[in-house]
Amino acid sequence: QVQLVESGGGLVQAGGSLRVSCLASGRTGSLYSMGWFRQAPGKEREFVSAITYDGGRTHYSDSVKGRFTISRDNAKNTLYLQMNSLKSEDTAIYYCAASARNLMAIATIDYDYWGQGTQVTVSS
């Protein structure tokens, strides 16, 4: 089993920056890829970004490409999402996820473990 705990969410003004983190514990050696999803009120959970376990490949949704950067520090078992040029439409609960089956997972069904989420609110 793998446990994921997000942190770093909060309130930020439009145009600002925020970094959210995800600490993984348990059988982290079994993981292939990790990712971030988000869910706004009344909407389905959507893919934001993913990264392979070695950090060699990343993938972003079109809505965040060029503004968000995903990274990981395996020595610290921590996944990061640096969010710049934030917009009001980025407001959502951000979830960390980990996959033990896919090298580059971008669908919710491809992920095996989920964190509890951290709220990010962007004020306009």
Side-chain angles (χ1 to χ4, degrees), residues 24 29 36 42 51 80 90-91:
W36 289 98
I51 188 169
Y80 303 99
D90 294 318
T91 295

Side-chain angles (χ1 to χ4, degrees), residues 29-61:
S30 66
L31 301 178
Y32 283 99
S33 63
M34 297 187 72
W36 289 98
F37 287 74
R38 66 186 182 186
Q39 188 166 17
K43 295 188 177 181
E44 292 189 354
R45 191 169 299 189
E46 65 171 357
F47 170 79
V48 174
S49 183
I51 188 169
T52 52
Y53 193 70
D54 63 0
R57 288 175 54 204
T58 58
H59 187 69
Y60 298 92
S61 68

Side-chain angles (χ1 to χ4, degrees), residues 102-119:
N102 292 275
L103 288 174
M104 176 56 74
I106 62 173
T108 56
I109 196 173
D110 292 328
Y111 282 89
D112 303 289
Y113 306 101
W114 293 86
Q116 82 289 348
T118 185
Q119 177 70 47

Side-chain angles (χ1 to χ4, degrees), residues 56-120:
R57 288 175 54 204
T58 58
H59 187 69
Y60 298 92
S61 68
D62 288 342
S63 62
V64 307
K65 194 175 296 181
R67 299 188 298 122
F68 290 11
T69 302
I70 190 171
S71 63
R72 63 193 299 168
D73 184 339
N74 287 343
K76 297 181 178 180
N77 287 327
T78 302
L79 177 73
Y80 303 99
L81 184 68
Q82 177 67 43
M83 302 180 288
N84 299 328
S85 302
L86 282 161
K87 307 174 182 179
S88 57
E89 50 262 45
D90 294 318
T91 295
I93 298 174
Y94 283 71
Y95 295 93
C96 171
S99 176
R101 296 172 286 132
N102 292 275
L103 288 174
M104 176 56 74
I106 62 173
T108 56
I109 196 173
D110 292 328
Y111 282 89
D112 303 289
Y113 306 101
W114 293 86
Q116 82 289 348
T118 185
Q119 177 70 47
V120 172

